[in-house]
Amino acid sequence: MQVALEEIAFSRRAFTLACSGVFEEGIHLVTGRVGSGKTTLALLLTGLLQPDAGSVRREGVGTMTLSFQNPEYHVTEATVRAEIASYGADPDAVAGRCGLADRVDDDPFHLSRGELKRLHLACLFARAWDLLILDEPFSSLDCVQKRHLCRWLEEGDAGITVIFTHERQVLPRVDYIWEVADGRAACLGPVPGAIGRWRYAPPYLKRALEEGRRPANIRFEDVREAR
Ligand SMILES: Nc1ncnc2c1ncn2[C@@H]1O[C@H](COP(=O)(O)OP(=O)(O)OP(=O)(O)O)[C@@H](O)[C@H]1O
């Protein structure tokens, strides 16, 4: 299973994005500055946007989903219970998993932004995806919820997971790092080798590298354990 991007080029007015590379099975972290083109790349990966040149080939991908930054975009039902059921998931199990067991009869739009994000993510992780694309999954979550999300990601059984994020404090263990900059998205390689090439690395990782330590992965815990 893989998503292969062959010499793709996309432009809209002054904005351009080019990319060649392969998203193999595993967890991919994609970072880049505001407006660099992360959401555009996410849309190209799913086929919601078509490149002007080149091709995006999804091989062996049967099920895929794209989680938008704004959880409101995903709401289709009038109650939390029905919303969870719409994903084919067990409402009580999922509501319990995201701490909303006492809100199952509420309108999803009466939840706070963070609660709605938690609900949406818990629905996604209630099933396995071949290709799971998450645009800013950490936004609106507090530190405790971010750690829960990291655990769901690390324990999840998605084939290819692609995380687009600005998050720089609570990060999951990942397999590959990508960077979007100067109109190009590129894979920096597998972790841990890619960490030293990661310009957008969070300060705690940069500091560890400056001190000569070699973390096995990108989490704060990896830095603490690194020699
Ligand atoms: N529908 C659109 N119409 C016109 N310009 C757009 C549209 N969507 C995005 N853009 C522009 O394309 C560029 C890339 O946007 P994109 O949303 O991919 O960036 P991003 O890296 O995801 O940003 P952020 O970090 O803020 O989420 C930006 O300059 C943005 O303003």
Side-chain angles (χ1 to χ4, degrees):
M1 193 186 314
Q2 64 174 27
V3 183
L5 284 69
E6 287 172 358
E7 301 286 336
I8 65 158
F10 176 85
S11 65
R12 64 164 82 84
R13 297 186 213 147
F15 170 78
T16 62
L17 184 67
C19 183
S20 279
V22 178
F23 287 84
E24 295 177 20
E25 286 185 39
I27 302 180
H28 299 253
L29 187 79
V30 187
T31 59
R33 293 191 186 287
V34 166
S36 57
K38 299 181 298 299
T39 299
T40 303
L41 181 60
L43 294 169
L44 287 162
L45 287 178
T46 56
L48 287 169
L49 273 183
Q50 296 298 321
D52 302 319
S55 67
V56 178
R57 281 189 291 112
R58 287 178 293 278
E59 295 169 358
V61 175
T63 56
M64 66 174 179
T65 191
L66 165 61
S67 165
F68 290 109
Q69 175 168 358
N70 301 340
E72 296 83 1
Y73 291 178
H74 294 279
V75 175
T76 58
E77 303 293 336
T79 64
V80 169
R81 180 183 297 285
E83 182 64 19
I84 297 171
S86 74
Y87 286 80
D90 174 355
D92 293 318
V94 170
R97 198 170 180 219
C98 61
L100 295 172
D102 58 343
R103 306 291 300 272
V104 286
D105 296 319
D106 283 9
D107 183 331
F109 284 107
H110 292 172
L111 299 176
S112 73
R113 192 80 181 300
E115 288 167 342
L116 187 56
K117 186 84 174 182
R118 250 155 62 195
L119 171 66
H120 164 62
L121 291 167
C123 289
L124 287 187
F125 282 96
R127 55 172 290 185
W129 301 93
D130 291 341
L131 176 58
L132 173 60
I133 301 176
L134 303 167
D135 195 1
E136 299 292 356
F138 295 96
S139 71
S140 310
L141 300 182
D142 63 23
C143 277
V144 173
Q145 296 305 325
K146 286 177 184 175
R147 291 203 180 90
H148 285 169
L149 172 57
C150 288
R151 212 177 54 238
W152 293 352
L153 284 160
E154 291 167 1
E155 294 173 358
D157 46 10
I160 305 166
T161 302
V162 190
I163 305 165
F164 293 85
T165 189
H166 287 295
E167 177 63 29
R168 284 157 77 80
Q169 287 179 324
V170 183
L171 290 163
R173 197 186 290 119
V174 301
D175 299 303
Y176 301 91
I177 299 173
W178 294 66
E179 220 160 38
V180 187
D182 307 322
R184 175 161 285 277
C187 184
L188 305 181
V191 171
I195 296 174
R197 297 188 284 278
W198 189 17
R199 280 184 293 174
Y200 207 72
Y204 66 82
L205 258 181
K206 286 198 166 160
R207 208 171 314 119
L209 293 177
E210 282 161 16
E211 290 166 2
R213 289 185 282 153
R214 294 284 170 265
N217 213 293
I218 64 170
R219 303 168 309 162
F220 190 72
E221 298 90 301
D222 297 305
V223 166
R224 226 174 21 210
E225 290 163 10
R227 291 171 195 284

